[in-house]
Amino acid sequence: MLGCDLLAKLSSDHDVVGMDKDEIDITCEDDCRKAIAQVGPQIVVNAAAFTNVDGCEKQKEECFAVNAGAVKNICVACHGKNIKIIHFSTDYVFDGKNTHPYTEEDQPNPINVYGESKLAGEQYLQALSGDYLLIRTSWLYGVNGKNFVRTILEKAEAKHFIQDTAARVKATPDEPSYLSVVDDQIGSPTYTKDLVAAVDLLISQNQNGIFHVTNRGHCSWYEFAVRILKEAGMDDVEVRPIKTSQLPRPAMRPAYSVLSMQKFITLTGKTPQPWQLALQDYLKNIKKMQ
Ligand SMILES: NC(=O)c1ccc[n+]([C@@H]2O[C@H](COP(=O)([O-])OP(=O)(O)OC[C@H]3O[C@@H](n4cnc5c(N)ncnc54)[C@H](OP(=O)(O)O)[C@@H]3O)[C@@H](O)[C@H]2O)c1
């Protein structure tokens, strides 16, 4: 999801070589070494990850191999070659006990395997690279790949279908006619297009270190779902708020994972747009693509 948008945006100002999993398996040290030798980059951007948060609980080894071991491989391959490494991490490195936005100085304390693996990746990067940008982001959605916005739109479309069918055949469908979404997890939805613009800016200013980058503002997943349907003109589909405890999932999620943007705003002089405007922008863009 993020990699495709990065490739498109950064290619307009830089010579970019995009590599997919069939060209480079980043868990393979030799693949990383060969890729760096072949391309001779000034900057390496790693958008690859094992991102299935629930899947990580069962596939711990694979998850750590991609989210942590592979970061080490990239650092080793870049070592001594004056290469900047740009790497992405997550709000899920925090435990969610804060009541105010997490800053770059706050202590991570992950509560699921995905968060633990991403934190281990961060630690490799910080220990092994002399020039890095570590960008923590949250609740990503983009035009490519599976994401919450797409899921809500697809589920709402299915509910429309059920409602139509029920009206026609006067049958009560097994599926409820409403969507249930948790309202006790708070975060910041982030459009990949805005994140990529922020990455481009950080590169142009030659920034380094840790940065939190999301769209501005925060909401619960429930509020996000309601807003998605409103903006998509599907607010006839009812969304009901539920608690995380009513929706058992393999991985625990932080209750509050809002990231403070203060450092980014102060050092770059730019403020990302609010999540509500980013969502409108995204919905317009996916409509254009249909
Ligand atoms: N999505 C979010 O909500 C979110 C939130 C916070 C932070 N982030 C971080 O943002 C970054 C981008 O996330 P995303 O959502 O764009 O991820 P994504 O859509 O899941 O893409 C990750 C890509 O990495 C590839 N990959 C997996 N293992 C690989 C390997 N061994 N070698 C090479 N490529 C491999 C995957 O290929 P296959 O699909 O073929 O396996 C996939 O194309 C990640 O670092 C993620 O942790 C994401």
Side-chain angles (χ1 to χ4, degrees), residues 1-2 21 24-27 47-49 51 66 88-90 114 118 137-140:
M1 184 162 69
L2 179 61
K21 202 170 161 184
I24 178 173
D25 174 359
I26 57 169
T27 63
T51 55
V66 182
F88 297 90
S89 190
T90 168
Y114 171 71
K118 294 295 293 183
T137 188
S138 65
W139 296 23
L140 277 188

PDB file of all heavy atoms in Angstrom, residues 1-2 21 24-27 47-49 51 66 88-90 114 118 137-140, ligand 1:
ATOM      1  N   MET A   1       0.830  -1.210   0.000  1.00  0.00           N
ATOM      2  CA  MET A   1       0.000   0.000   0.000  1.00  0.00           C
ATOM      3  C   MET A   1       0.868   1.266   0.000  1.00  0.00           C
ATOM      4  O   MET A   1       0.785   2.084  -0.901  1.00  0.00           O
ATOM      5  CB  MET A   1      -0.914  -0.018   1.237  1.00  0.00           C
ATOM      6  CG  MET A   1      -1.876   1.113   1.315  1.00  0.00           C
ATOM      7  SD  MET A   1      -3.221   0.766   2.444  1.00  0.00           S
ATOM      8  CE  MET A   1      -2.390   0.793   4.023  1.00  0.00           C
ATOM      9  N   LEU A   2       1.717   1.415   0.997  1.00  0.00           N
ATOM     10  CA  LEU A   2       2.566   2.605   1.090  1.00  0.00           C
ATOM     11  C   LEU A   2       3.663   2.602   0.018  1.00  0.00           C
ATOM     12  O   LEU A   2       3.950   3.635  -0.590  1.00  0.00           O
ATOM     13  CB  LEU A   2       3.200   2.677   2.490  1.00  0.00           C
ATOM     14  CG  LEU A   2       4.142   3.841   2.753  1.00  0.00           C
ATOM     15  CD1 LEU A   2       3.423   5.187   2.611  1.00  0.00           C
ATOM     16  CD2 LEU A   2       4.753   3.726   4.159  1.00  0.00           C
ATOM     17  N   LYS A  21       8.684  -8.072  -3.783  1.00  0.00           N
ATOM     18  CA  LYS A  21       9.136  -9.262  -3.061  1.00  0.00           C
ATOM     19  C   LYS A  21       9.763 -10.318  -3.980  1.00  0.00           C
ATOM     20  O   LYS A  21      10.665 -11.038  -3.569  1.00  0.00           O
ATOM     21  CB  LYS A  21       7.944  -9.865  -2.328  1.00  0.00           C
ATOM     22  CG  LYS A  21       8.279 -10.741  -1.173  1.00  0.00           C
ATOM     23  CD  LYS A  21       6.975 -11.028  -0.457  1.00  0.00           C
ATOM     24  CE  LYS A  21       7.007 -12.206   0.435  1.00  0.00           C
ATOM     25  NZ  LYS A  21       5.660 -12.448   0.998  1.00  0.00           N
ATOM     26  N   ILE A  24      13.369  -9.016  -4.435  1.00  0.00           N
ATOM     27  CA  ILE A  24      14.200  -8.990  -3.222  1.00  0.00           C
ATOM     28  C   ILE A  24      13.384  -9.497  -2.038  1.00  0.00           C
ATOM     29  O   ILE A  24      12.315  -8.959  -1.736  1.00  0.00           O
ATOM     30  CB  ILE A  24      14.773  -7.566  -2.939  1.00  0.00           C
ATOM     31  CG1 ILE A  24      15.584  -7.562  -1.637  1.00  0.00           C
ATOM     32  CG2 ILE A  24      13.706  -6.500  -2.905  1.00  0.00           C
ATOM     33  CD1 ILE A  24      16.324  -6.258  -1.367  1.00  0.00           C
ATOM     34  N   ASP A  25      13.903 -10.542  -1.406  1.00  0.00           N
ATOM     35  CA  ASP A  25      13.308 -10.990  -0.144  1.00  0.00           C
ATOM     36  C   ASP A  25      14.189 -10.391   0.952  1.00  0.00           C
ATOM     37  O   ASP A  25      15.342 -10.801   1.140  1.00  0.00           O
ATOM     38  CB  ASP A  25      13.309 -12.524  -0.081  1.00  0.00           C
ATOM     39  CG  ASP A  25      12.846 -13.040   1.278  1.00  0.00           C
ATOM     40  OD1 ASP A  25      12.552 -12.207   2.172  1.00  0.00           O
ATOM     41  OD2 ASP A  25      12.793 -14.270   1.444  1.00  0.00           O
ATOM     42  N   ILE A  26      13.655  -9.404   1.644  1.00  0.00           N
ATOM     43  CA  ILE A  26      14.517  -8.673   2.594  1.00  0.00           C
ATOM     44  C   ILE A  26      14.906  -9.513   3.819  1.00  0.00           C
ATOM     45  O   ILE A  26      15.779  -9.109   4.579  1.00  0.00           O
ATOM     46  CB  ILE A  26      13.910  -7.306   3.026  1.00  0.00           C
ATOM     47  CG1 ILE A  26      12.526  -7.463   3.649  1.00  0.00           C
ATOM     48  CG2 ILE A  26      13.893  -6.331   1.863  1.00  0.00           C
ATOM     49  CD1 ILE A  26      12.007  -6.194   4.323  1.00  0.00           C
ATOM     50  N   THR A  27      14.284 -10.681   3.982  1.00  0.00           N
ATOM     51  CA  THR A  27      14.720 -11.548   5.082  1.00  0.00           C
ATOM     52  C   THR A  27      15.996 -12.298   4.692  1.00  0.00           C
ATOM     53  O   THR A  27      16.597 -12.982   5.513  1.00  0.00           O
ATOM     54  CB  THR A  27      13.629 -12.562   5.499  1.00  0.00           C
ATOM     55  OG1 THR A  27      13.366 -13.434   4.402  1.00  0.00           O
ATOM     56  CG2 THR A  27      12.345 -11.866   5.914  1.00  0.00           C
ATOM     57  N   ALA A  47       9.594  -0.014   2.748  1.00  0.00           N
ATOM     58  CA  ALA A  47       8.142   0.030   3.030  1.00  0.00           C
ATOM     59  C   ALA A  47       7.597  -1.376   3.227  1.00  0.00           C
ATOM     60  O   ALA A  47       6.386  -1.555   3.378  1.00  0.00           O
ATOM     61  CB  ALA A  47       7.407   0.721   1.889  1.00  0.00           C
ATOM     62  N   ALA A  48       8.479  -2.374   3.212  1.00  0.00           N
ATOM     63  CA  ALA A  48       8.020  -3.767   3.369  1.00  0.00           C
ATOM     64  C   ALA A  48       7.849  -4.097   4.839  1.00  0.00           C
ATOM     65  O   ALA A  48       8.575  -3.600   5.699  1.00  0.00           O
ATOM     66  CB  ALA A  48       9.027  -4.721   2.732  1.00  0.00           C
ATOM     67  N   ALA A  49       6.857  -4.938   5.115  1.00  0.00           N
ATOM     68  CA  ALA A  49       6.628  -5.363   6.503  1.00  0.00           C
ATOM     69  C   ALA A  49       5.661  -6.531   6.511  1.00  0.00           C
ATOM     70  O   ALA A  49       4.993  -6.809   5.515  1.00  0.00           O
ATOM     71  CB  ALA A  49       6.037  -4.203   7.322  1.00  0.00           C
ATOM     72  N   THR A  51       2.420  -7.076   7.983  1.00  0.00           N
ATOM     73  CA  THR A  51       1.480  -6.111   8.567  1.00  0.00           C
ATOM     74  C   THR A  51       0.170  -6.725   9.081  1.00  0.00           C
ATOM     75  O   THR A  51      -0.702  -5.987   9.538  1.00  0.00           O
ATOM     76  CB  THR A  51       1.128  -5.010   7.539  1.00  0.00           C
ATOM     77  OG1 THR A  51       0.642  -5.650   6.353  1.00  0.00           O
ATOM     78  CG2 THR A  51       2.321  -4.150   7.209  1.00  0.00           C
ATOM     79  N   VAL A  66      10.656 -10.500   9.115  1.00  0.00           N
ATOM     80  CA  VAL A  66      10.430  -9.369   8.198  1.00  0.00           C
ATOM     81  C   VAL A  66      10.543  -8.023   8.927  1.00  0.00           C
ATOM     82  O   VAL A  66      11.188  -7.092   8.445  1.00  0.00           O
ATOM     83  CB  VAL A  66       9.029  -9.474   7.521  1.00  0.00           C
ATOM     84  CG1 VAL A  66       8.830  -8.315   6.548  1.00  0.00           C
ATOM     85  CG2 VAL A  66       8.870 -10.805   6.802  1.00  0.00           C
ATOM     86  N   PHE A  88       9.746   2.545   8.254  1.00  0.00           N
ATOM     87  CA  PHE A  88       8.448   2.905   8.846  1.00  0.00           C
ATOM     88  C   PHE A  88       8.126   2.024  10.039  1.00  0.00           C
ATOM     89  O   PHE A  88       8.358   0.816  10.021  1.00  0.00           O
ATOM     90  CB  PHE A  88       7.340   2.802   7.789  1.00  0.00           C
ATOM     91  CG  PHE A  88       7.558   3.778   6.682  1.00  0.00           C
ATOM     92  CD1 PHE A  88       8.306   3.424   5.569  1.00  0.00           C
ATOM     93  CD2 PHE A  88       7.084   5.073   6.790  1.00  0.00           C
ATOM     94  CE1 PHE A  88       8.557   4.348   4.565  1.00  0.00           C
ATOM     95  CE2 PHE A  88       7.338   6.009   5.796  1.00  0.00           C
ATOM     96  CZ  PHE A  88       8.076   5.642   4.681  1.00  0.00           C
ATOM     97  N   SER A  89       7.617   2.666  11.069  1.00  0.00           N
ATOM     98  CA  SER A  89       7.146   1.912  12.217  1.00  0.00           C
ATOM     99  C   SER A  89       5.731   2.384  12.565  1.00  0.00           C
ATOM    100  O   SER A  89       5.083   3.068  11.766  1.00  0.00           O
ATOM    101  CB  SER A  89       8.117   2.043  13.387  1.00  0.00           C
ATOM    102  OG  SER A  89       7.751   1.126  14.400  1.00  0.00           O
ATOM    103  N   THR A  90       5.275   2.026  13.736  1.00  0.00           N
ATOM    104  CA  THR A  90       3.845   2.088  13.998  1.00  0.00           C
ATOM    105  C   THR A  90       3.498   2.641  15.383  1.00  0.00           C
ATOM    106  O   THR A  90       4.301   2.538  16.324  1.00  0.00           O
ATOM    107  CB  THR A  90       3.288   0.648  13.865  1.00  0.00           C
ATOM    108  OG1 THR A  90       1.967   0.589  14.382  1.00  0.00           O
ATOM    109  CG2 THR A  90       4.113  -0.358  14.668  1.00  0.00           C
ATOM    110  N   TYR A 114       3.067  -7.989  16.785  1.00  0.00           N
ATOM    111  CA  TYR A 114       3.386  -7.045  15.702  1.00  0.00           C
ATOM    112  C   TYR A 114       4.171  -5.850  16.258  1.00  0.00           C
ATOM    113  O   TYR A 114       5.237  -5.492  15.736  1.00  0.00           O
ATOM    114  CB  TYR A 114       2.083  -6.579  15.037  1.00  0.00           C
ATOM    115  CG  TYR A 114       2.239  -5.452  14.046  1.00  0.00           C
ATOM    116  CD1 TYR A 114       2.855  -5.645  12.812  1.00  0.00           C
ATOM    117  CD2 TYR A 114       1.762  -4.166  14.342  1.00  0.00           C
ATOM    118  CE1 TYR A 114       2.992  -4.608  11.898  1.00  0.00           C
ATOM    119  CE2 TYR A 114       1.889  -3.124  13.434  1.00  0.00           C
ATOM    120  CZ  TYR A 114       2.504  -3.342  12.221  1.00  0.00           C
ATOM    121  OH  TYR A 114       2.643  -2.306  11.321  1.00  0.00           O
ATOM    122  N   LYS A 118       8.010  -4.739  15.437  1.00  0.00           N
ATOM    123  CA  LYS A 118       8.329  -3.430  14.862  1.00  0.00           C
ATOM    124  C   LYS A 118       9.299  -2.667  15.766  1.00  0.00           C
ATOM    125  O   LYS A 118      10.198  -1.974  15.273  1.00  0.00           O
ATOM    126  CB  LYS A 118       7.049  -2.613  14.635  1.00  0.00           C
ATOM    127  CG  LYS A 118       6.091  -3.167  13.588  1.00  0.00           C
ATOM    128  CD  LYS A 118       6.635  -3.179  12.167  1.00  0.00           C
ATOM    129  CE  LYS A 118       6.841  -1.815  11.588  1.00  0.00           C
ATOM    130  NZ  LYS A 118       7.305  -1.898  10.154  1.00  0.00           N
ATOM    131  N   THR A 137       3.894   5.852  11.962  1.00  0.00           N
ATOM    132  CA  THR A 137       2.612   6.338  11.464  1.00  0.00           C
ATOM    133  C   THR A 137       1.494   5.448  12.003  1.00  0.00           C
ATOM    134  O   THR A 137       1.765   4.526  12.790  1.00  0.00           O
ATOM    135  CB  THR A 137       2.638   6.415   9.922  1.00  0.00           C
ATOM    136  OG1 THR A 137       1.460   7.067   9.468  1.00  0.00           O
ATOM    137  CG2 THR A 137       2.757   5.046   9.277  1.00  0.00           C
ATOM    138  N   SER A 138       0.255   5.735  11.622  1.00  0.00           N
ATOM    139  CA  SER A 138      -0.859   4.950  12.182  1.00  0.00           C
ATOM    140  C   SER A 138      -2.045   4.877  11.224  1.00  0.00           C
ATOM    141  O   SER A 138      -2.228   5.746  10.371  1.00  0.00           O
ATOM    142  CB  SER A 138      -1.332   5.597  13.484  1.00  0.00           C
ATOM    143  OG  SER A 138      -1.885   6.879  13.225  1.00  0.00           O
ATOM    144  N   TRP A 139      -2.843   3.838  11.399  1.00  0.00           N
ATOM    145  CA  TRP A 139      -4.152   3.666  10.743  1.00  0.00           C
ATOM    146  C   TRP A 139      -4.100   4.080   9.250  1.00  0.00           C
ATOM    147  O   TRP A 139      -4.866   4.919   8.795  1.00  0.00           O
ATOM    148  CB  TRP A 139      -5.220   4.478  11.469  1.00  0.00           C
ATOM    149  CG  TRP A 139      -5.499   4.062  12.875  1.00  0.00           C
ATOM    150  CD1 TRP A 139      -4.691   3.378  13.728  1.00  0.00           C
ATOM    151  CD2 TRP A 139      -6.706   4.341  13.614  1.00  0.00           C
ATOM    152  NE1 TRP A 139      -5.313   3.209  14.943  1.00  0.00           N
ATOM    153  CE2 TRP A 139      -6.550   3.788  14.910  1.00  0.00           C
ATOM    154  CE3 TRP A 139      -7.898   5.005  13.317  1.00  0.00           C
ATOM    155  CZ2 TRP A 139      -7.545   3.879  15.893  1.00  0.00           C
ATOM    156  CZ3 TRP A 139      -8.877   5.105  14.300  1.00  0.00           C
ATOM    157  CH2 TRP A 139      -8.702   4.538  15.565  1.00  0.00           C
ATOM    158  N   LEU A 140      -3.185   3.469   8.503  1.00  0.00           N
ATOM    159  CA  LEU A 140      -2.954   3.851   7.104  1.00  0.00           C
ATOM    160  C   LEU A 140      -4.052   3.366   6.160  1.00  0.00           C
ATOM    161  O   LEU A 140      -4.561   2.263   6.323  1.00  0.00           O
ATOM    162  CB  LEU A 140      -1.650   3.215   6.608  1.00  0.00           C
ATOM    163  CG  LEU A 140      -0.305   3.869   6.900  1.00  0.00           C
ATOM    164  CD1 LEU A 140       0.787   3.139   6.132  1.00  0.00           C
ATOM    165  CD2 LEU A 140      -0.332   5.354   6.551  1.00  0.00           C
TER     166      LEU A 140
HETATM  167  N1  LIG B   1      -1.168  -0.375   7.385  1.00  0.00           N
HETATM  168  C1  LIG B   1      -1.182   0.328   8.499  1.00  0.00           C
HETATM  169  O1  LIG B   1      -2.255   0.669   9.033  1.00  0.00           O
HETATM  170  C2  LIG B   1       0.108   0.758   9.136  1.00  0.00           C
HETATM  171  C3  LIG B   1       0.055   1.499  10.325  1.00  0.00           C
HETATM  172  C4  LIG B   1       1.253   1.911  10.916  1.00  0.00           C
HETATM  173  C5  LIG B   1       2.462   1.604  10.334  1.00  0.00           C
HETATM  174  N2  LIG B   1       2.483   0.867   9.185  1.00  0.00           N
HETATM  175  C6  LIG B   1       3.799   0.552   8.613  1.00  0.00           C
HETATM  176  O2  LIG B   1       3.885   1.182   7.348  1.00  0.00           O
HETATM  177  C7  LIG B   1       4.672   0.394   6.452  1.00  0.00           C
HETATM  178  C8  LIG B   1       3.891   0.119   5.185  1.00  0.00           C
HETATM  179  O3  LIG B   1       2.691  -0.588   5.520  1.00  0.00           O
HETATM  180  P1  LIG B   1       1.627  -1.041   4.415  1.00  0.00           P
HETATM  181  O4  LIG B   1       0.319  -1.069   5.095  1.00  0.00           O
HETATM  182  O5  LIG B   1       1.823  -0.259   3.152  1.00  0.00           O
HETATM  183  O6  LIG B   1       2.090  -2.536   4.191  1.00  0.00           O
HETATM  184  P2  LIG B   1       1.539  -3.616   3.133  1.00  0.00           P
HETATM  185  O7  LIG B   1       0.505  -3.031   2.235  1.00  0.00           O
HETATM  186  O8  LIG B   1       1.186  -4.839   3.915  1.00  0.00           O
HETATM  187  O9  LIG B   1       2.827  -3.890   2.275  1.00  0.00           O
HETATM  188  C9  LIG B   1       3.930  -4.549   2.798  1.00  0.00           C
HETATM  189  C10 LIG B   1       4.664  -5.170   1.646  1.00  0.00           C
HETATM  190  O10 LIG B   1       5.825  -5.815   2.144  1.00  0.00           O
HETATM  191  C11 LIG B   1       5.997  -6.977   1.352  1.00  0.00           C
HETATM  192  N3  LIG B   1       6.854  -7.956   2.037  1.00  0.00           N
HETATM  193  C12 LIG B   1       6.519  -8.774   3.065  1.00  0.00           C
HETATM  194  N4  LIG B   1       7.559  -9.577   3.364  1.00  0.00           N
HETATM  195  C13 LIG B   1       8.562  -9.248   2.512  1.00  0.00           C
HETATM  196  C14 LIG B   1       9.889  -9.730   2.309  1.00  0.00           C
HETATM  197  N5  LIG B   1      10.380 -10.717   3.049  1.00  0.00           N
HETATM  198  N6  LIG B   1      10.644  -9.169   1.352  1.00  0.00           N
HETATM  199  C15 LIG B   1      10.144  -8.183   0.574  1.00  0.00           C
HETATM  200  N7  LIG B   1       8.899  -7.681   0.702  1.00  0.00           N
HETATM  201  C16 LIG B   1       8.118  -8.216   1.666  1.00  0.00           C
HETATM  202  C17 LIG B   1       4.591  -7.499   1.189  1.00  0.00           C
HETATM  203  O11 LIG B   1       4.523  -8.421   0.123  1.00  0.00           O
HETATM  204  P3  LIG B   1       3.402  -9.590   0.182  1.00  0.00           P
HETATM  205  O12 LIG B   1       2.090  -8.895   0.333  1.00  0.00           O
HETATM  206  O13 LIG B   1       3.596 -10.278  -1.106  1.00  0.00           O
HETATM  207  O14 LIG B   1       3.738 -10.404   1.397  1.00  0.00           O
HETATM  208  C18 LIG B   1       3.844  -6.212   0.874  1.00  0.00           C
HETATM  209  O15 LIG B   1       3.885  -5.905  -0.492  1.00  0.00           O
HETATM  210  C19 LIG B   1       5.065  -0.852   7.253  1.00  0.00           C
HETATM  211  O16 LIG B   1       6.324  -0.662   7.827  1.00  0.00           O
HETATM  212  C20 LIG B   1       4.005  -0.926   8.348  1.00  0.00           C
HETATM  213  O17 LIG B   1       4.485  -1.609   9.489  1.00  0.00           O
HETATM  214  C21 LIG B   1       1.347   0.442   8.581  1.00  0.00           C
END
